[in-house]
Amino acid sequence: MKTAMDRRNFLKAAIASGAVIAAGGALAGCSPSGGASDGSGDANAAEQVVGTAPVSFSEETDVLILGTGIAGMSAAMDPVEAGHKVMLVDKLERVGGESFIACGVMNVSGSKMQKDAGIEGDPEEKWKAYQPVLEKKGETDDMEYKHRVYVYQTEWADRVAADYGAVFQPITDYMNTGAPTSMLLPGNGIGDMTQVLTPLQKGLEQKGATYKLNLRATNFIVDGEGAPIGVRFNDEKNNKTVDIRAKKIIVATGGFSCNQEMVSTYLPSQARLGPLTVNSMGEGHQLCKAIGGEYTHMDMEANRMSDLAQVTVWGYFSPQVQVTPQGRRFIKEDQSHDSPDAAAELGLGFWWTIFDDQTVNGSQKWNVEMNMKSNADRLVGPCATLDELAAAMDVPADTLKATFETYDAMVAAGEDTEFGKKLFLQSLSAPFYAMKHFPYRYKTHGGMKITTDSQLTDKDGTPIPNVYCAGSTVADSGSDLSPNAGSGLISGKAVVEALKA
């Protein structure tokens, strides 16, 4: 009873502030005249807030999904396939959110594509090895939720390929080069997310899903009992209010790395780093908090990344040497987030990736050519010698040559005794190239407290009716795209079950 009253009081305050909109003008427990039903004479907090329009639903749907990135579209798969009316809404004027510009690395085990290439693996068996790593980190509150995310990643990959026509790069392009075969890549390789997300988008439309763009979610709409029954939006083109009724709502709006106020509050150590993207404003977090949701793990460090994010991923697929502005190697090159982390911690300001034709002509040549052309102002080379390269990079030639002498000696010995590099511990040869990076913050990990089936909860762990969360709106959502896809499936499956009730 106390929890119910606490929630009712919370909602009254939220409605009074305009953070939550009440349909019909009154919250249960309040008299329609404006006085409290207990006769105390307090103002009715659920009456219309000055400056807000009364609720007027223009459309209805079974499932309303906020966000059209990989988490949102994945969340739509099961509901639309079950025959439910599904509507996906985005504040941008295009579908795909920031997933379209992602590197596209997806860590998956046991997919049909991998098995067809002769790579055996079972997600349940891989999970048994992965779970202790998560337990040691202590950043996961609900291990069963993480288990489902991990397993559903594989299901997602198989389904989007078989049922939606998503195109992945043939694993045979890189499986015998030394690159990880646990990684699936889109289409032509790193960065080609249109070949995965566009077929998914069109397939969902063919199955009956609809998209609404240029609508920014501003408030949950609740009924007389305080249960969310819809969402209020602002039409960004016409600056008009749009209210949409829904039986179930999935919040898949991404992280908060672009919200400077939230970053300064929860991640002050990263407040002076710029955001790599521009749209992850934490709006879904704030919406869920306004309805009584609880933040968790908000102080978990956000991923740092180069502003040339795709270039940092090359180290998984070909040999590179990364150096400081002074020409000294400072990190192993086979983990994409290690370089920006170390650059930020060492206060480098920027760093260089040095590569050769093994990268230019390797399995990711489509992406390499694209980045070399589109970032010509960051590129030096081709250079015939290390002296020429050092001059082009404006680093001391003696230092750079000493770095390569040490590196080549470790290559010959077969062990990186400085930093422990495992993948592509190989020497480079002329012509040499280099690209300059700057460290940025990327994907935040703090998010909403949820149940194992992704339903939003309050601070006491009590589920909030009709609201589910997916992707980076959820705490500890992983570092690549596949966990966001897996979490989307969890939410979609959950609302299908809830709609049966």
Side-chain angles (χ1 to χ4, degrees):
M1 182 66 181
K2 183 178 185 295
T3 300
M5 289 305 299
D6 286 347
R7 175 161 171 74
R8 183 168 295 166
N9 290 333
F10 172 87
L11 284 168
K12 287 181 182 179
I15 291 168
S17 71
V20 177
I21 305 297
L27 191 64
C30 296
S31 68
S33 65
S37 59
D38 61 5
S40 64
D42 291 341
N44 184 350
E47 292 296 342
Q48 181 183 334
V49 179
V50 173
T52 65
V55 173
S56 178
F57 289 116
S58 58
E59 295 192 66
E60 295 188 16
T61 187
D62 295 329
V63 183
L64 179 63
I65 300 174
L66 309 185
T68 63
I70 194 169
M73 285 198 278
S74 300
M77 290 166 60
D78 278 284
V80 77
E81 289 174 20
H84 296 296
K85 186 176 181 181
V86 177
M87 183 183 297
L88 300 97
V89 182
D90 206 292
K91 66 184 178 183
L92 304 179
E93 60 181 356
R94 59 173 175 78
V95 172
E98 291 174 344
S99 299
F100 262 121
I101 61 173
C103 295
V105 173
M106 291 161 271
N107 288 293
V108 172
S109 173
S111 70
K112 183 178 185 300
M113 288 163 282
Q114 289 161 316
K115 290 178 178 178
D116 287 348
I119 302 163
E120 293 301 321
D122 177 79
E124 290 289 359
E125 289 300 316
K126 294 288 186 180
W127 168 253
K128 291 177 182 178
Y130 183 44
Q131 181 176 349
V133 177
L134 292 178
E135 290 174 341
K136 185 176 181 180
K137 293 169 78 173
E139 297 170 343
T140 299
D141 295 330
D142 187 341
M143 200 60 69
E144 178 54 30
Y145 176 79
K146 291 293 290 187
H147 174 211
R148 293 185 188 182
V149 168
Y150 192 86
V151 173
Y152 287 161
Q153 292 172 174
T154 303
E155 177 186 325
W156 174 85
D158 286 340
R159 288 174 61 184
V160 294
D163 302 336
Y164 292 84
V167 178
F168 292 86
Q169 183 177 22
I171 299 173
T172 50
D173 285 0
Y174 53 86
M175 64 180 288
N176 295 317
T177 67
T181 55
S182 60
M183 291 181 174
L184 295 182
L185 297 175
N188 288 302
I190 298 167
D192 194 19
M193 283 305 295
T194 56
Q195 295 211 46
V196 172
L197 293 184
T198 298
L200 178 56
Q201 171 195 342
K202 292 181 177 179
L204 290 169
E205 286 182 302
Q206 291 169 358
K207 295 175 187 293
T210 59
Y211 294 84
K212 300 285 183 181
L213 304 179
N214 295 298
L215 294 182
R216 184 183 299 272
T218 60
N219 311 82
F220 277 111
I221 301 170
V222 299
D223 64 12
E225 296 295 326
I229 57 170
V231 176
R232 169 160 290 183
F233 299 88
N234 183 65
D235 182 330
E236 299 288 273
K237 279 197 170 181
N238 302 305
N239 196 29
K240 292 182 178 179
T241 295
V242 176
D243 295 333
I244 299 177
R245 182 189 288 273
K247 296 176 183 176
K248 304 295 175 186
I249 303 160
I250 299 175
V251 183
T253 51
F256 62 90
S257 65
C258 306
N259 186 318
Q260 187 64 38
E261 183 177 0
M262 290 182 73
V263 169
S264 296
T265 299
Y266 299 106
L267 299 170
S269 65
Q270 296 186 326
R272 296 179 70 86
L273 285 175
L276 180 60
T277 55
V278 297
N279 296 308
S280 295
M281 294 298 294
E283 291 152 311
H285 291 64
Q286 294 169 334
L287 279 170
C288 290
K289 190 172 180 63
I291 203 69
E294 181 76 2
Y295 290 162
T296 182
H297 294 300
M298 293 293 281
D299 61 350
M300 188 185 296
E301 286 284 286
N303 285 352
R304 294 181 183 90
M305 184 55 92
S306 161
D307 60 335
L308 303 182
Q310 295 172 5
V311 176
T312 65
V313 182
W314 293 353
Y316 291 119
F317 299 94
S318 57
Q320 281 98 50
V321 172
Q322 297 190 18
V323 300
T324 69
Q326 294 76 36
R328 297 184 180 90
R329 187 164 175 255
F330 69 104
I331 196 69
K332 63 180 181 178
E333 295 87 359
D334 57 3
Q335 296 293 322
S336 61
H337 297 290
D338 286 359
S339 304
D341 282 348
E345 290 163 7
L346 295 171
L348 296 183
F350 67 90
W351 77 98
W352 293 93
T353 287
I354 301 171
F355 58 101
D356 66 4
D357 282 343
Q358 294 175 90
T359 296
V360 174
N361 299 317
S363 68
Q364 301 309 309
K365 58 186 177 182
W366 175 85
N367 183 266
V368 174
E369 180 181 359
M370 179 182 67
N371 272 280
M372 290 174 72
K373 287 182 177 179
S374 60
N375 299 292
D377 58 329
R378 302 287 191 83
L379 175 69
V380 299
C383 297
T385 66
L386 287 175
D387 284 293
E388 184 181 332
L389 180 67
M393 293 167 61
D394 193 24
V395 304
D398 289 347
T399 302
L400 188 63
K401 287 191 289 186
T403 294
F404 270 81
E405 183 177 345
T406 300
Y407 177 78
D408 287 340
M410 291 187 295
V411 171
E415 183 181 5
D416 179 2
T417 55
E418 282 191 318
F419 301 107
K421 177 179 179 177
K422 301 296 184 184
L423 300 178
F424 295 100
L425 183 62
Q426 299 169 11
S427 292
L428 307 185
S429 59
F432 300 104
Y433 306 82
M435 294 192 78
K436 181 186 284 188
H437 304 261
F438 294 90
Y440 277 68
R441 62 174 182 261
Y442 183 34
K443 188 173 186 283
T444 51
H445 294 289
M448 307 313 301
K449 189 175 181 180
I450 58 171
T451 64
T452 301
D453 69 354
S454 82
Q455 190 169 359
L456 180 66
T457 74
D458 63 16
K459 61 183 178 61
D460 298 315
T462 303
I464 294 174
N466 305 329
V467 180
Y468 300 77
C469 296
S472 295
T473 314
V474 177
D476 187 21
S477 57
S479 299
D480 63 270
L481 282 181
S482 49
N484 283 6
S487 73
L489 283 190
I490 291 174
S491 295
K493 292 174 186 294
V495 299
V496 169
E497 288 302 308
L499 287 168
K500 291 178 181 178

